[in-house]
Amino acid sequence: MKPHILQLNPILVPSINQRLDALYTVHRLYEQPDADACISVHGASIRGVITGGHTGITRALMERLPALEIVAVNGVGTDAVDLDYARARSLPVTGTFGALTEDVADLAIALLLSTCRNVCAVDRFVRSGAWVRHPQPSAIPLARRCSGMRVGIVGLGRVGRAVATRVNAFGCPVRYTDLQAMPDVAWAYEPELRQLARDSDALIVCAAADKAEGLIDAAVLDALGPQGFLVNVARGRLVREADLVRALRERRIAGAGLDVFIDEPHAPPALFELDNVTLQAHRASATVETRTAMGEMVLASLAQALAGERPTHSLTT
Ligand code: 8YV
């Protein structure tokens, strides 16, 4: 009999889904008309869970899965999983660490460039026919140069480092903040986030969200100032969204490039009216290459756990 797996989020790579189906009986909760009934019927036989980084899994759901042997997160953020509970149950919680670094860093750069150079706003200007109606050069305000900007990285993990390397290629000096200075990098450490914001033309948020809710607040945004840009490719709740919306509306910061939001798929509607904002739909890891590599890691973690081995990428065991 094939082991039963509960999948909380779709995986968009057909070859990964085919292999999952060949190896396991997969209950795709997001396809069930009555999720609660599905858990009541199959909960006792579920041995593995696959979930996304943003979705995670509630403790209440884990408690309904007594035979659970692994939570395989198809992502690197484990902030939506109760890791203490998993540890107490000796339950491996795995992630796809390292698989999405380059793509997330690429999207951070895309958001920075797009926001500073008004790429999306000007695209809308051309598509709407506005360029023909307003051909005079003054119809489009001058943009902001990216090359050479002072960039502040919030969270110098894998993604933060990959972003720093990329902006260095644009001639941007980099400073960073984190819980502590990293001895193996040459970038300057700034322990105070507000000071980092003051010293930066762009702040790029790459931090893990476990203990840093509301890190970017009105005071940090004011320190960044009216010429400053914010990019967030980490988690929405690292930023106080209401403070950010106010700062953007009042032009107390210059612009923002955002891939993540507190209440996805809902982005604050007030942002939709603002041309100094570039919005994405939590897409940073969404390439064929990365999602395939992530799916491979999920398959490997499931195989290890269900064979009674400690999964290589377990955080909790
Ligand atoms: C993924 C993420 O999009 O890795 C994470 O923590 O939030 C994202 O990169 C997501 O996990 C895909 O399911």
Side-chain angles (χ1 to χ4, degrees):
M1 204 180 68
K2 294 196 278 188
H4 287 247
I5 299 290
L6 184 67
Q7 191 179 338
L8 306 186
N9 273 149
I11 287 182
L12 303 177
V13 182
S15 61
I16 300 292
N17 288 319
Q18 281 156 16
R19 288 187 26 226
L20 281 171
D21 287 329
L23 293 165
Y24 307 112
T25 300
V26 184
H27 303 275
R28 296 188 163 91
L29 202 61
Y30 50 90
E31 287 176 351
Q32 303 296 323
D34 186 343
D36 190 63
C38 171
I39 302 298
S40 298
V41 174
H42 299 291
S45 47
I46 298 295
R47 293 178 57 195
V49 161
I50 304 172
T51 186
H54 182 74
T55 305
I57 182 170
T58 62
R59 177 174 176 158
L61 179 50
M62 287 193 275
E63 284 171 348
R64 292 180 72 189
L65 310 175
L68 190 59
E69 291 169 55
I70 176 171
V71 173
V73 176
N74 186 32
V76 292
T78 50
D79 49 298
V81 182
D82 186 334
L83 296 180
D84 289 337
Y85 171 77
R87 272 189 205 103
R89 227 175 115 171
S90 301
L91 192 62
V93 176
T94 61
T96 62
F97 308 116
L100 43 70
T101 309
E102 309 305 328
D103 278 353
V104 178
D106 287 355
L107 194 77
I109 301 302
L111 286 170
L112 181 65
L113 283 168
S114 167
T115 309
C116 293
R117 299 300 305 268
N118 303 329
V119 173
C120 295
V122 178
D123 177 274
R124 290 191 289 273
F125 185 80
V126 175
R127 279 169 200 266
S128 68
W131 195 16
V132 177
R133 292 194 300 277
H134 307 282
Q136 62 281 19
S138 60
I140 309 173
L142 292 179
R144 169 71 182 277
R145 173 190 286 180
C146 257
S147 291
M149 272 183 148
R150 297 166 305 157
V151 171
I153 307 280
V154 182
L156 200 73
R158 290 185 187 86
V159 170
R161 288 167 185 236
V163 172
T165 305
R166 281 159 176 71
V167 295
N168 273 170
F170 283 81
C172 299
V174 168
R175 300 175 76 77
Y176 71 95
T177 193
D178 207 309
L179 299 179
Q180 60 201 24
M182 312 276 164
D184 61 326
V185 300
W187 300 303
Y189 176 61
E190 171 51 65
E192 279 291 325
L193 175 55
R194 265 189 238 178
Q195 189 58 44
L196 182 74
R198 229 170 267 129
D199 292 340
S200 300
D201 300 307
L203 265 193
I204 305 189
V205 183
C206 307
D210 305 61
K211 296 187 185 85
E213 194 159 341
L215 192 65
I216 309 288
D217 58 10
V220 173
L221 295 169
D222 283 334
L224 185 59
Q227 305 301 322
F229 291 83
L230 181 80
V231 170
N232 188 4
V233 288
R235 282 286 184 271
R237 60 198 179 78
L238 288 166
V239 177
R240 294 211 180 143
E241 260 172 14
D243 289 1
L244 176 61
V245 168
R246 221 171 293 124
L248 285 163
R249 270 183 157 161
E250 295 166 6
R251 305 279 158 169
R252 290 180 5 250
I253 67 168
L258 307 170
D259 184 42
V260 286
F261 304 89
I262 290 175
D263 183 26
E264 296 173 9
H266 304 284
L271 296 177
F272 303 163
E273 299 150 21
L274 300 176
D275 262 352
N276 56 343
V277 172
T278 308
L279 303 174
Q280 286 287 290
H282 202 143
R283 300 282 298 162
S285 69
T287 68
V288 172
E289 293 79 1
T290 283
R291 287 292 172 84
T292 304
M294 289 164 69
E296 294 288 351
M297 288 179 79
V298 165
L299 279 162
S301 294
L302 287 173
Q304 286 176 318
L306 300 186
E309 296 163 22
R310 178 192 170 273
T312 313
H313 299 288
S314 171
L315 272 185
T316 46
T317 54

